[in-house]
Amino acid sequence: MRALKPLALASLAGVLPLVLTGGVAPAAGHTGLSGGWSGMWLSGTTASDTTSVVTTLKQVRTAIGADTGAAATLTGKGVGIALIDTGVAPVPGIPAAQVVNGPDLSFESQSPSLRYLDTYGHGTHMAGIIIGNDAATGTKGIAPGAKLTSIKVGTSNGAVDVTQMIAAIDWVVKNRNHDPANPIKIISLSYGTGGNPEVWNDPMTLAVQQAWKAGITVVAAAGNQGNGYGKLTHPAQGTSVIAVGAANTYGTTTTADDELSAYTNLSSNGRPLDVLAPGTSIPSLRVPGSNIDLTFPKARSGDTLFRGSGTSQATAVTAAAAALVLQARPALTPLQLKYLLINGTYLSKGVAATLGTKEINVSMALAGPAATGSGAIGESTGTGMLDTTRGSSRVSADGVQLSGQNTLFGPFDTTTWSTRAKAQTTWSGGVWLGYRMAGDGWTGTSYASKTWAPATWPGGSWGGTKNWTDPSWSGRAWSGRAWSGATWSGRFWSTDDWSTARWG
């Protein structure tokens, strides 16, 4: 098996690169973070390190205008949010009655002890920002009344292929009304590929566009490679999303000192950020024993919280804010909601002032007029090359990269897929494009209020293995409050050479 690269060189190929500040290095002996998830884990060990000044979720709610007037009573009740991420662990701050486990489409779905659960620590952090309720600290999510459907695609080291993401988006579109009282109206995507595809034929773009057309607002992270990177990560590059950058709020509730974070991607190709949201040094729910918990112990905040920064966090804040607005104004289309959130609070400092990119404000969105017109854009054909979408974000099995027009299981016919995606027929029960990825309905069991059934994947991987079992899963178990074991590694992982992490 190919050795994993040291964490100090890793970024998340699907989980975007981590950034440490305050001179903190990862704990010795832990390797294996990869993927493209837009989260960064900070220590905040020095008072002069302004990027690590904690901004609590209560402060975030104030900063985005969600705790005054009509906004103050909103909880997101009646609004469903799909979190396509690394799963959610049932830590005490997760209200299980408000969580639905959709199909686990990750490699770890093949392990009964890991299935649906967050081994990485990223998805639970996002869930905490959205619906968390941590009694130990009084920390509450921005939309604590929303219903969260978790679709796990990422493993303990962030490994995920773009075809798994496309399948997840397809599933959400197909099953958006699985709970009529809480229809899925928002997708929160902290994922970004290393590719730079043409949006007119890109499969990922078409998948997102079909969600948008189905009335689902897609909120996507812009990426963490920095203001000078020259592009947003994908799918934030497309227009059928709300592309989110992170604001540094410096631990205050006033927006007068807020500014664009230095780690947020900016584009030089004409695709600007849509909005900013608080995303720097946000304490949210910790998953004890998860990969990031073991790797960045100084990011822990007490026993139940963990501090992180990135456009991931800003995306979760924006998705939750969108749920508040939709609770009050459920007839809004994704385009109308996008324009209302774009017209937020003007920031008078730094790059954000120059660009005119505003910070989201729920009260202003509630009061603003709904845009008229369709805002129609050209639809992607969906027939482009997957490797162009992947870029250098490649998932590997025993050192063999997945490439070409292939899913994990076999060929990906873009013409067939695009036709079926537009008709919302890529999924039949738990079979996607003829490939068995999950069970056929809501007959699974987990801690959540409802769970989609699992399935054993047929055959073996493209890397030559006879089955999908990973030897590293042996001995791994969720004890009820923490993961057992000392390190995370695995047979399946993602390349990390498509972007560069910054380390303090």
Side-chain angles (χ1 to χ4, degrees), residues 179-279:
D179 181 352
N182 300 277
I184 295 174
K185 304 288 286 185
I186 299 161
I187 293 176
S188 183
L189 277 181
S190 294
Y191 170 87
T193 76
N196 190 28
E198 298 288 351
V199 295
W200 59 267
N201 71 353
D202 173 55
M204 174 73 81
T205 297
L206 179 62
V208 167
Q209 286 173 339
Q210 297 315 298
W212 195 262
K213 289 172 65 177
I216 303 171
T217 300
V218 182
V219 185
N224 299 326
Q225 288 93 338
N227 294 175
Y229 189 62
K231 66 175 184 177
L232 309 186
T233 56
H234 194 56
Q237 295 172 3
T239 56
S240 295
V241 303
I242 298 177
V244 183
N248 193 342
T249 53
Y250 298 104
T252 70
T253 58
T254 177
T255 57
D257 61 352
D258 292 2
E259 56 186 342
L260 174 72
S261 68
Y263 54 77
T264 292
N265 288 17
L266 294 178
S267 173
S268 58
N269 66 2
R271 175 47 168 124
L273 294 171
D274 290 317
V275 300
L276 297 176

Side-chain angles (χ1 to χ4, degrees), residues 281-306:
S281 199
I282 307 293
S284 185
L285 296 177
R286 172 191 171 209
V287 181
S290 64
N291 204 351
I292 59 170
D293 184 61
L294 296 177
T295 305
F296 306 108
K298 291 186 178 180
R300 298 169 187 165
S301 181
D303 293 332
T304 59
L305 301 181
F306 199 81

